[in-house]
Amino acid sequence: MGTLKTETARTRSDLLAPPVAAALDAWPADAPVDADQVLVAPIDAALSDTAAFCEAYEVSPEETVNCVIVAGKREGEVRYAACVVLATTRADVNSVVRRHLGVRKCSFAPMDDAVSATGMEYGGITPIGLPADWSVLVDPRVVAVPHVVIGSGIRGSKIVLPGAALAALPNAEVVPDLAKPVQ
């Protein structure tokens, strides 16, 4: 993956947010990849944002995954979902995600809410280790990529794993038409 220097994630918990490390420790035995096949690489935290990261570490946007946290309310209850999409696409929040959450209106979750609820850093939030009651919506294009790069819960590193492994996370669902290409 570009110029990333990867190591087994479970041996480098210092490069993971605590909920991510805990999720790897509890990784299901029937997952499509073993927990030891989940890799992590340190990066410059100032280069964590997608465009800067891809350029600096020579990773294609077609192999880079964003995890976008959205929220909507129904009957006074806030419903969260993580949208897992390639960097070359954008989640269809106002249509597909809204219907999936069963809310009249949804939008990107406020930064402070997302950080507080996940225990992860903004700009590094990943679907690995999210709260158990959150939906994880995965675009089919992500599943089709042999290996993807995604956040690690902190801005100072990235995780590398097969795209199919993200569809096997707890509460994950592959959602057709979740994302649209960036134009």
Side-chain angles (χ1 to χ4, degrees), residues 73-94:
K73 260 189 190 177
R74 181 167 186 154
E75 298 170 0
E77 172 196 358
V78 177
R79 298 178 182 188
Y80 290 98
C83 300
V84 182
V85 300
L86 291 178
T88 56
T89 65
R90 295 291 175 254
D92 186 350
V93 174
N94 294 316

PDB file of all heavy atoms in Angstrom, residues 73-94:
ATOM      1  N   LYS A  73     -32.868  11.906  13.864  1.00  0.00           N
ATOM      2  CA  LYS A  73     -33.731  11.736  15.029  1.00  0.00           C
ATOM      3  C   LYS A  73     -35.072  11.171  14.612  1.00  0.00           C
ATOM      4  O   LYS A  73     -35.625  11.526  13.571  1.00  0.00           O
ATOM      5  CB  LYS A  73     -33.981  13.078  15.705  1.00  0.00           C
ATOM      6  CG  LYS A  73     -33.148  13.333  16.905  1.00  0.00           C
ATOM      7  CD  LYS A  73     -33.635  14.577  17.615  1.00  0.00           C
ATOM      8  CE  LYS A  73     -32.637  14.958  18.688  1.00  0.00           C
ATOM      9  NZ  LYS A  73     -33.016  16.169  19.355  1.00  0.00           N
ATOM     10  N   ARG A  74     -35.587  10.300  15.474  1.00  0.00           N
ATOM     11  CA  ARG A  74     -36.951   9.804  15.308  1.00  0.00           C
ATOM     12  C   ARG A  74     -37.529   9.603  16.699  1.00  0.00           C
ATOM     13  O   ARG A  74     -36.933   8.923  17.530  1.00  0.00           O
ATOM     14  CB  ARG A  74     -36.977   8.501  14.532  1.00  0.00           C
ATOM     15  CG  ARG A  74     -38.402   8.029  14.342  1.00  0.00           C
ATOM     16  CD  ARG A  74     -38.484   6.950  13.339  1.00  0.00           C
ATOM     17  NE  ARG A  74     -39.901   6.676  13.122  1.00  0.00           N
ATOM     18  CZ  ARG A  74     -40.378   6.187  12.028  1.00  0.00           C
ATOM     19  NH1 ARG A  74     -39.572   5.922  11.035  1.00  0.00           N
ATOM     20  NH2 ARG A  74     -41.652   5.946  11.914  1.00  0.00           N
ATOM     21  N   GLU A  75     -38.681  10.216  16.921  1.00  0.00           N
ATOM     22  CA  GLU A  75     -39.371  10.128  18.213  1.00  0.00           C
ATOM     23  C   GLU A  75     -38.440  10.481  19.365  1.00  0.00           C
ATOM     24  O   GLU A  75     -38.421   9.828  20.395  1.00  0.00           O
ATOM     25  CB  GLU A  75     -39.970   8.732  18.386  1.00  0.00           C
ATOM     26  CG  GLU A  75     -41.002   8.411  17.323  1.00  0.00           C
ATOM     27  CD  GLU A  75     -41.437   6.949  17.327  1.00  0.00           C
ATOM     28  OE1 GLU A  75     -40.951   6.157  18.160  1.00  0.00           O
ATOM     29  OE2 GLU A  75     -42.272   6.624  16.463  1.00  0.00           O
ATOM     30  N   GLY A  76     -37.618  11.539  19.165  1.00  0.00           N
ATOM     31  CA  GLY A  76     -36.727  12.038  20.202  1.00  0.00           C
ATOM     32  C   GLY A  76     -35.451  11.246  20.376  1.00  0.00           C
ATOM     33  O   GLY A  76     -34.581  11.628  21.148  1.00  0.00           O
ATOM     34  N   GLU A  77     -35.301  10.135  19.668  1.00  0.00           N
ATOM     35  CA  GLU A  77     -34.111   9.293  19.787  1.00  0.00           C
ATOM     36  C   GLU A  77     -33.157   9.597  18.635  1.00  0.00           C
ATOM     37  O   GLU A  77     -33.555   9.621  17.472  1.00  0.00           O
ATOM     38  CB  GLU A  77     -34.523   7.820  19.718  1.00  0.00           C
ATOM     39  CG  GLU A  77     -33.362   6.870  19.637  1.00  0.00           C
ATOM     40  CD  GLU A  77     -33.778   5.465  19.192  1.00  0.00           C
ATOM     41  OE1 GLU A  77     -34.974   5.209  18.988  1.00  0.00           O
ATOM     42  OE2 GLU A  77     -32.875   4.643  19.020  1.00  0.00           O
ATOM     43  N   VAL A  78     -31.874   9.821  18.965  1.00  0.00           N
ATOM     44  CA  VAL A  78     -30.864  10.041  17.941  1.00  0.00           C
ATOM     45  C   VAL A  78     -30.383   8.675  17.460  1.00  0.00           C
ATOM     46  O   VAL A  78     -30.045   7.804  18.259  1.00  0.00           O
ATOM     47  CB  VAL A  78     -29.672  10.865  18.472  1.00  0.00           C
ATOM     48  CG1 VAL A  78     -28.601  11.018  17.403  1.00  0.00           C
ATOM     49  CG2 VAL A  78     -30.135  12.232  18.952  1.00  0.00           C
ATOM     50  N   ARG A  79     -30.374   8.501  16.142  1.00  0.00           N
ATOM     51  CA  ARG A  79     -29.896   7.262  15.522  1.00  0.00           C
ATOM     52  C   ARG A  79     -28.630   7.586  14.741  1.00  0.00           C
ATOM     53  O   ARG A  79     -28.610   8.510  13.942  1.00  0.00           O
ATOM     54  CB  ARG A  79     -30.955   6.695  14.580  1.00  0.00           C
ATOM     55  CG  ARG A  79     -32.230   6.331  15.297  1.00  0.00           C
ATOM     56  CD  ARG A  79     -33.268   5.825  14.326  1.00  0.00           C
ATOM     57  NE  ARG A  79     -34.514   5.536  15.045  1.00  0.00           N
ATOM     58  CZ  ARG A  79     -35.545   4.949  14.499  1.00  0.00           C
ATOM     59  NH1 ARG A  79     -35.507   4.584  13.227  1.00  0.00           N
ATOM     60  NH2 ARG A  79     -36.620   4.727  15.218  1.00  0.00           N
ATOM     61  N   TYR A  80     -27.601   6.784  15.002  1.00  0.00           N
ATOM     62  CA  TYR A  80     -26.320   6.981  14.333  1.00  0.00           C
ATOM     63  C   TYR A  80     -26.056   5.857  13.344  1.00  0.00           C
ATOM     64  O   TYR A  80     -26.498   4.730  13.530  1.00  0.00           O
ATOM     65  CB  TYR A  80     -25.169   6.994  15.344  1.00  0.00           C
ATOM     66  CG  TYR A  80     -25.142   8.211  16.222  1.00  0.00           C
ATOM     67  CD1 TYR A  80     -25.682   8.176  17.507  1.00  0.00           C
ATOM     68  CD2 TYR A  80     -24.569   9.394  15.783  1.00  0.00           C
ATOM     69  CE1 TYR A  80     -25.654   9.291  18.322  1.00  0.00           C
ATOM     70  CE2 TYR A  80     -24.537  10.519  16.591  1.00  0.00           C
ATOM     71  CZ  TYR A  80     -25.075  10.465  17.862  1.00  0.00           C
ATOM     72  OH  TYR A  80     -25.046  11.569  18.663  1.00  0.00           O
ATOM     73  N   ALA A  81     -25.296   6.184  12.326  1.00  0.00           N
ATOM     74  CA  ALA A  81     -24.795   5.186  11.389  1.00  0.00           C
ATOM     75  C   ALA A  81     -23.421   5.621  10.911  1.00  0.00           C
ATOM     76  O   ALA A  81     -23.133   6.813  10.795  1.00  0.00           O
ATOM     77  CB  ALA A  81     -25.735   5.029  10.197  1.00  0.00           C
ATOM     78  N   ALA A  82     -22.587   4.631  10.650  1.00  0.00           N
ATOM     79  CA  ALA A  82     -21.291   4.878  10.023  1.00  0.00           C
ATOM     80  C   ALA A  82     -21.426   4.472   8.570  1.00  0.00           C
ATOM     81  O   ALA A  82     -21.848   3.360   8.264  1.00  0.00           O
ATOM     82  CB  ALA A  82     -20.213   4.054  10.709  1.00  0.00           C
ATOM     83  N   CYS A  83     -21.089   5.370   7.672  1.00  0.00           N
ATOM     84  CA  CYS A  83     -21.118   5.091   6.236  1.00  0.00           C
ATOM     85  C   CYS A  83     -19.684   4.853   5.791  1.00  0.00           C
ATOM     86  O   CYS A  83     -18.823   5.726   5.952  1.00  0.00           O
ATOM     87  CB  CYS A  83     -21.723   6.254   5.468  1.00  0.00           C
ATOM     88  SG  CYS A  83     -23.416   6.608   5.955  1.00  0.00           S
ATOM     89  N   VAL A  84     -19.422   3.677   5.241  1.00  0.00           N
ATOM     90  CA  VAL A  84     -18.085   3.270   4.847  1.00  0.00           C
ATOM     91  C   VAL A  84     -18.032   3.291   3.323  1.00  0.00           C
ATOM     92  O   VAL A  84     -18.644   2.448   2.665  1.00  0.00           O
ATOM     93  CB  VAL A  84     -17.765   1.871   5.423  1.00  0.00           C
ATOM     94  CG1 VAL A  84     -16.358   1.449   5.052  1.00  0.00           C
ATOM     95  CG2 VAL A  84     -17.959   1.863   6.944  1.00  0.00           C
ATOM     96  N   VAL A  85     -17.317   4.280   2.784  1.00  0.00           N
ATOM     97  CA  VAL A  85     -17.314   4.521   1.337  1.00  0.00           C
ATOM     98  C   VAL A  85     -15.894   4.793   0.845  1.00  0.00           C
ATOM     99  O   VAL A  85     -15.046   5.270   1.599  1.00  0.00           O
ATOM    100  CB  VAL A  85     -18.235   5.708   0.969  1.00  0.00           C
ATOM    101  CG1 VAL A  85     -19.679   5.431   1.390  1.00  0.00           C
ATOM    102  CG2 VAL A  85     -17.760   7.008   1.589  1.00  0.00           C
ATOM    103  N   LEU A  86     -15.654   4.496  -0.430  1.00  0.00           N
ATOM    104  CA  LEU A  86     -14.358   4.816  -1.026  1.00  0.00           C
ATOM    105  C   LEU A  86     -14.172   6.331  -1.081  1.00  0.00           C
ATOM    106  O   LEU A  86     -15.143   7.084  -1.196  1.00  0.00           O
ATOM    107  CB  LEU A  86     -14.261   4.241  -2.436  1.00  0.00           C
ATOM    108  CG  LEU A  86     -14.195   2.724  -2.545  1.00  0.00           C
ATOM    109  CD1 LEU A  86     -14.151   2.314  -4.016  1.00  0.00           C
ATOM    110  CD2 LEU A  86     -13.001   2.151  -1.797  1.00  0.00           C
ATOM    111  N   ALA A  87     -12.924   6.759  -1.063  1.00  0.00           N
ATOM    112  CA  ALA A  87     -12.618   8.193  -1.113  1.00  0.00           C
ATOM    113  C   ALA A  87     -13.035   8.816  -2.442  1.00  0.00           C
ATOM    114  O   ALA A  87     -13.156  10.034  -2.528  1.00  0.00           O
ATOM    115  CB  ALA A  87     -11.130   8.412  -0.882  1.00  0.00           C
ATOM    116  N   THR A  88     -13.276   8.006  -3.445  1.00  0.00           N
ATOM    117  CA  THR A  88     -13.704   8.508  -4.752  1.00  0.00           C
ATOM    118  C   THR A  88     -15.217   8.685  -4.832  1.00  0.00           C
ATOM    119  O   THR A  88     -15.752   9.040  -5.884  1.00  0.00           O
ATOM    120  CB  THR A  88     -13.260   7.543  -5.865  1.00  0.00           C
ATOM    121  OG1 THR A  88     -13.787   6.242  -5.575  1.00  0.00           O
ATOM    122  CG2 THR A  88     -11.750   7.494  -5.983  1.00  0.00           C
ATOM    123  N   THR A  89     -15.903   8.422  -3.712  1.00  0.00           N
ATOM    124  CA  THR A  89     -17.362   8.515  -3.674  1.00  0.00           C
ATOM    125  C   THR A  89     -17.805   9.333  -2.463  1.00  0.00           C
ATOM    126  O   THR A  89     -17.007   9.634  -1.581  1.00  0.00           O
ATOM    127  CB  THR A  89     -18.014   7.115  -3.601  1.00  0.00           C
ATOM    128  OG1 THR A  89     -17.656   6.492  -2.365  1.00  0.00           O
ATOM    129  CG2 THR A  89     -17.583   6.229  -4.764  1.00  0.00           C
ATOM    130  N   ARG A  90     -19.097   9.637  -2.439  1.00  0.00           N
ATOM    131  CA  ARG A  90     -19.703  10.338  -1.301  1.00  0.00           C
ATOM    132  C   ARG A  90     -20.970   9.595  -0.903  1.00  0.00           C
ATOM    133  O   ARG A  90     -21.759   9.183  -1.766  1.00  0.00           O
ATOM    134  CB  ARG A  90     -20.070  11.781  -1.663  1.00  0.00           C
ATOM    135  CG  ARG A  90     -18.883  12.653  -1.984  1.00  0.00           C
ATOM    136  CD  ARG A  90     -18.032  12.932  -0.739  1.00  0.00           C
ATOM    137  NE  ARG A  90     -16.830  13.670  -1.079  1.00  0.00           N
ATOM    138  CZ  ARG A  90     -15.608  13.150  -1.110  1.00  0.00           C
ATOM    139  NH1 ARG A  90     -15.404  11.900  -0.842  1.00  0.00           N
ATOM    140  NH2 ARG A  90     -14.568  13.878  -1.421  1.00  0.00           N
ATOM    141  N   ALA A  91     -21.174   9.436   0.390  1.00  0.00           N
ATOM    142  CA  ALA A  91     -22.370   8.753   0.883  1.00  0.00           C
ATOM    143  C   ALA A  91     -23.620   9.550   0.525  1.00  0.00           C
ATOM    144  O   ALA A  91     -23.632  10.776   0.615  1.00  0.00           O
ATOM    145  CB  ALA A  91     -22.289   8.572   2.395  1.00  0.00           C
ATOM    146  N   ASP A  92     -24.658   8.847   0.124  1.00  0.00           N
ATOM    147  CA  ASP A  92     -25.949   9.464  -0.200  1.00  0.00           C
ATOM    148  C   ASP A  92     -26.738   9.609   1.104  1.00  0.00           C
ATOM    149  O   ASP A  92     -27.637   8.836   1.400  1.00  0.00           O
ATOM    150  CB  ASP A  92     -26.699   8.609  -1.221  1.00  0.00           C
ATOM    151  CG  ASP A  92     -27.974   9.267  -1.711  1.00  0.00           C
ATOM    152  OD1 ASP A  92     -28.392  10.296  -1.133  1.00  0.00           O
ATOM    153  OD2 ASP A  92     -28.564   8.739  -2.666  1.00  0.00           O
ATOM    154  N   VAL A  93     -26.353  10.605   1.875  1.00  0.00           N
ATOM    155  CA  VAL A  93     -26.915  10.822   3.210  1.00  0.00           C
ATOM    156  C   VAL A  93     -28.394  11.185   3.158  1.00  0.00           C
ATOM    157  O   VAL A  93     -29.196  10.668   3.931  1.00  0.00           O
ATOM    158  CB  VAL A  93     -26.109  11.917   3.962  1.00  0.00           C
ATOM    159  CG1 VAL A  93     -26.761  12.264   5.294  1.00  0.00           C
ATOM    160  CG2 VAL A  93     -24.674  11.452   4.169  1.00  0.00           C
ATOM    161  N   ASN A  94     -28.770  12.062   2.245  1.00  0.00           N
ATOM    162  CA  ASN A  94     -30.136  12.582   2.229  1.00  0.00           C
ATOM    163  C   ASN A  94     -31.172  11.634   1.661  1.00  0.00           C
ATOM    164  O   ASN A  94     -32.365  11.908   1.751  1.00  0.00           O
ATOM    165  CB  ASN A  94     -30.179  13.912   1.478  1.00  0.00           C
ATOM    166  CG  ASN A  94     -29.404  14.976   2.209  1.00  0.00           C
ATOM    167  OD1 ASN A  94     -29.502  15.108   3.413  1.00  0.00           O
ATOM    168  ND2 ASN A  94     -28.589  15.721   1.490  1.00  0.00           N
TER     169      ASN A  94
END
